[in-house]
Amino acid sequence: MLLEAIEHRPKGNWASASGPGTVELRLRTKRDDVREVSVLFGDKYAWDRTKAVQPMRKFASDALFDYWQAFVTPPFRRLRYAFRIDDGQTAVWMTEFGFEADLPANPQNLFEFPYVNPCDIFEPPAWVKDAVFYQIFPERFANGDPTNDPEGTRPWGGEPTPSNFFGGDLQGVIDHLDYLSELGVTAIYFTPVFEAPTNHKYDTRDYLKVDPHFGTNEKLKELVDACHARGIRVLLDAVFNHAGRTFPPFQDCLEKGEASRYADWFHVREWPLDVKDGIPTYETFAFERNMPKFNTENPEVQEYLLGVARYWIEEVGIDGWRLDVANEVDHRFWRRFRDTVKAAKPDAYILGEIWHDALPWLQGDQFDAVMNYPFTTAVLDFFVERKLDARGFADRLGRLLAAYPTRATEVAFNLLGSHDTPRLLTLCGGNAALMKLAALVQFTFIGTPCLYYGDEIGLTGGHDPGCRKCMEWDPARQNRDLLAFYRWLIALRRGAEALRTGDFRVLRAEAGEKVFAYMRSAGQERYAIVVNNQDQPASVRLALGEGTWTDVRTRETADTPGGAAEIALEPFGFRVLHATVG
């Protein structure tokens, strides 16, 4: 037993309050080094009367480690605990003070979770686990009202550039809500809709006004109400890291310099505001002179931005915020932001844009979830870049599952493309069958899937601006087979509790192979998903367990003597099998 590999800390993703009477505990051991782990726990003030033992399950593995998990119920909200780790030959106890052969007589040496305070419980909105998101870049989705088109608007469907306009607006979204309902999406994430000079609107001029080229505040309210009538939630983009150059307080700083009453609203290194050798004399997003960074430690800035967050929830009824460049804003501001948003709408979804490990933001006091780009990278590295074999892909997914508390993982925003990335079909080299495999994993993995507008009908494009093409509404120019697949996939997820909230277990992931199989399970429901990530047929034997297994597409029954099945797969093919056990 390699003791140096064993890890636990009584906080973060290792120990977290996941319900009014539940604490999720985790332990890490070297991969394939330990046979079983159990946790001894009880109340620190009544140890002898309350102590109990509970086995832990191995819920994830990566290239180096196994991760063990148990959900325990403190008898009086207080928890002391220790782990018993057994490799089949020897067993040790792990306490806060290290490893011992025998359990210490004094329980004060054990780990402690002092108290499950209700306000510390990580409670993301329950609806998010069941949601299917659809991301819309408003300027390129549909032109429903030509009267508000900007000057120089190009004909719909032309070649996008960083600066041109095609007239997409909110009325265009309203006109196509039936399409979205038929597709099966239940939530929309809009990139910014507030007044700004660019087509992307990430350089805000007025945070309390819908851009006139998109419509009006009243039109946004009409859109939100129409979405809610169809059971569709609405998420807006909060660009609170920075403003735009035309934002009036920044214009005042440009005009008055240090004498401006807004001088402390921004991070200024040197007055007057200027650009020297390509570097602005004030902090910005990247080095973009037109995006000055807010000083969110300034009380006036805080009150202004928190007022914006509250306004659109209270006046228009939006269901949450996606936070742009969220990792460059101070944690104290985000804690105030969460308090403000949750007071206005307790089940609002707070989603941060963070491309790296985001554990510091996922402690229950800031965000509900982050855009899961590490998941994106793992899927693309397996299906597109061919950097991973099945074993490597399983290891990467296991590491993701261990990274955050379960409640955060269940509402992670799982995407395969966005306005910031090349189109999925382009990355797949135009291979729609390969794209389907990636999408299948996205929609059957733990977390909330998001579909980027147009991917479902085969839009292509490289990096920005190529990924921001106009939506294609002519059925003759759409990939109808791909559209039918996404409709089927969304319906599959929405109709299966196990695919939305169930446990995840790898069934097959061998080194050097391209066949990957896993199971999702909840209660008596089981789904086995098998993908063949190669241009040749494959056949694998899987231990599925007892039950009658049926292919959900063909309705054929799989022969499973002894709970095992031989699964045949076409090149870039897949199988989704379902069984109800017990």
Side-chain angles (χ1 to χ4, degrees):
M1 186 187 306
L2 187 66
L3 299 184
E4 296 94 321
I6 301 174
E7 174 73 356
H8 174 79
R9 291 181 178 274
K11 270 297 180 182
N13 55 330
W14 302 104
S16 58
S18 61
T22 306
V23 174
E24 180 182 9
L25 297 176
R26 292 178 175 181
L27 182 80
R28 188 191 76 187
T29 63
K30 179 185 175 183
R31 182 162 184 159
D32 300 328
D33 190 43
V34 168
R35 187 176 67 178
E36 60 184 34
V37 179
S38 57
V39 58
L40 170 69
F41 66 96
D43 185 89
K44 62 183 176 181
Y45 297 121
W47 178 253
D48 290 333
R49 293 169 50 196
T50 61
K51 63 183 178 181
V53 176
Q54 183 171 320
M56 303 184 77
R57 76 179 187 98
K58 183 163 54 176
F59 78 99
S61 299
D62 62 23
L64 299 177
F65 305 110
D66 290 327
Y67 299 91
W68 304 78
Q69 174 194 65
F71 292 89
V72 302
T73 303
F76 298 102
R77 295 193 185 181
R78 299 177 295 259
L79 191 66
R80 273 211 176 117
Y81 59 95
F83 301 101
R84 186 179 186 273
I85 307 157
D86 188 342
D87 67 359
Q89 295 180 331
T90 60
V92 298
W93 287 93
M94 183 185 186
T95 72
E96 190 168 73
F97 289 87
F99 299 98
E100 301 186 37
D102 300 308
L103 182 67
N106 185 355
Q108 290 184 358
N109 292 345
L110 308 189
F111 290 106
E112 186 166 336
F113 197 99
Y115 195 81
V116 180
N117 290 289
C119 66
D120 291 334
I121 296 171
F122 194 166
E123 291 191 288
W127 61 267
V128 177
K129 289 187 290 187
D130 297 324
V132 174
F133 270 88
Y134 189 87
Q135 181 187 350
I136 291 179
F137 191 84
E139 218 286 317
R140 304 291 161 78
F141 188 66
N143 187 345
D145 182 5
T147 65
N148 63 23
D149 287 359
E151 183 179 352
T153 294
R154 308 296 299 164
W156 192 260
E159 189 68 24
T161 71
S163 58
N164 61 4
F165 293 86
F166 292 94
D169 51 32
L170 300 182
Q171 184 61 52
V173 180
I174 293 173
D175 293 344
H176 290 92
L177 286 179
D178 286 344
Y179 167 83
L180 296 178
S181 293
E182 291 168 5
L183 182 59
V185 300
T186 61
I188 300 173
Y189 152 45
F190 288 97
T191 54
V193 299
F194 307 133
E195 185 176 20
T198 57
N199 55 38
H200 55 73
K201 310 301 178 191
Y202 280 100
D203 52 344
T204 314
R205 175 185 293 135
D206 189 340
Y207 284 85
L208 295 174
K209 179 183 178 183
V210 168
D211 192 285
H213 297 147
F214 288 167
T216 62
N217 292 17
E218 292 73 24
K219 182 59 68 174
L220 180 59
K221 179 72 164 61
E222 178 186 343
L223 169 57
V224 171
D225 289 345
C227 286
H228 288 169
R230 289 168 169 80
I232 298 174
R233 308 264 185 164
V234 176
L235 198 71
L236 294 187
D237 212 319
V239 190
F240 289 174
N241 173 71
H242 56 270
R245 188 176 184 84
T246 58
F247 182 56
F250 189 71
Q251 285 289 307
D252 196 74
C253 291
L254 286 170
E255 177 186 346
K256 300 175 183 175
E258 260 182 296
S260 170
R261 68 173 297 267
Y262 301 105
D264 192 48
W265 277 44
F266 307 95
H267 294 278
V268 181
R269 293 192 301 272
E270 180 184 339
W271 297 94
L273 303 179
D274 198 0
V275 178
K276 296 183 177 180
D277 297 324
I279 306 295
T281 61
Y282 49 95
E283 298 293 330
T284 62
F285 167 67
F287 295 108
E288 175 50 65
R289 66 191 298 269
N290 294 322
M291 295 182 177
K293 181 177 173 62
F294 278 119
N295 175 14
T296 49
E297 296 179 34
N298 180 303
E300 287 186 351
V301 172
Q302 292 178 21
E303 294 309 314
Y304 175 77
L305 295 178
L306 296 176
V308 171
R310 188 168 50 244
Y311 175 84
W312 293 102
I313 292 175
E314 294 176 346
E315 299 299 322
V316 175
I318 66 168
D319 301 290
W321 290 100
R322 181 264 190 186
L323 312 174
D324 189 55
V325 201
N327 57 346
E328 296 187 21
V329 178
D330 65 273
H331 291 279
R332 185 175 297 180
F333 174 80
W334 287 136
R335 292 186 181 100
R336 288 200 64 195
F337 178 87
R338 183 180 185 86
D339 289 344
T340 299
V341 168
K342 296 295 184 176
K345 178 171 277 192
D347 69 344
Y349 183 40
I350 301 176
L351 172 68
E353 183 205 14
I354 296 180
W355 292 57
H356 53 81
D357 186 336
L359 183 61
W361 291 267
L362 295 174
Q363 303 295 303
D365 60 342
Q366 295 172 71
F367 308 159
D368 295 314
V370 293
M371 300 182 76
N372 200 357
Y373 280 107
F375 169 80
T376 311
T377 302
V379 172
L380 296 182
D381 280 352
F382 180 54
F383 289 107
V384 176
E385 301 296 334
R386 326 300 284 183
K387 294 179 180 179
L388 301 175
D389 57 14
R391 169 68 178 262
F393 184 44
D395 290 347
R396 195 82 71 82
L397 295 181
R399 187 171 181 83
L400 290 176
L401 293 176
Y404 307 134
T406 294
R407 284 204 163 189
T409 302
E410 289 177 337
V411 296
F413 196 80
N414 293 343
L415 68 163
L416 295 182
S418 74
H419 64 290
D420 288 325
T421 68
R423 288 277 178 178
L424 181 57
L425 186 55
T426 295
L427 291 173
C428 291
N431 184 342
L434 182 60
M435 179 178 174
K436 289 178 181 178
L437 296 187
L440 177 63
V441 171
Q442 177 193 18
F443 276 77
T444 58
F445 189 63
I446 298 176
T448 302
C450 179
L451 176 61
Y452 185 42
Y453 83 95
D455 277 357
E456 76 278 9
I457 50 92
L459 280 192
T460 58
H463 281 286
D464 172 26
C467 57
R468 302 176 182 185
K469 286 182 179 178
C470 295
M471 177 66 175
E472 179 56 70
W473 292 110
D474 181 357
R477 297 172 62 87
Q478 296 177 342
N479 185 326
R480 304 296 290 183
D481 174 72
L482 197 57
L483 177 60
F485 170 79
Y486 270 102
R487 285 176 174 166
W488 169 81
L489 187 55
I490 292 171
L492 173 68
R493 180 182 176 86
R494 291 185 60 184
E497 176 72 21
L499 296 180
R500 302 193 306 275
T501 64
D503 292 333
F504 172 90
R505 178 167 64 89
V506 174
L507 293 175
R508 184 182 180 91
E510 298 296 324
E513 289 190 1
K514 294 297 184 181
V515 175
F516 177 61
Y518 55 98
M519 185 177 293
R520 299 295 309 277
S521 57
Q524 297 178 326
E525 189 177 55
R526 304 283 187 274
Y527 281 87
I529 296 94
V530 193
V531 296
N532 181 26
N533 183 27
Q534 57 190 338
D535 60 0
Q536 57 188 7
S539 180
V540 295
R541 187 170 180 81
L542 298 178
L544 299 176
E546 298 299 328
T548 301
W549 291 87
T550 304
D551 189 305
V552 299
R553 289 187 303 161
T554 66
R555 310 312 302 170
E556 296 176 352
T557 300
D559 186 23
T560 55
E566 195 73 27
I567 307 296
L569 298 156
E570 300 174 348
F572 297 116
F574 66 88
R575 300 283 295 277
V576 179
L577 304 174
H578 171 261
T580 302
V581 299

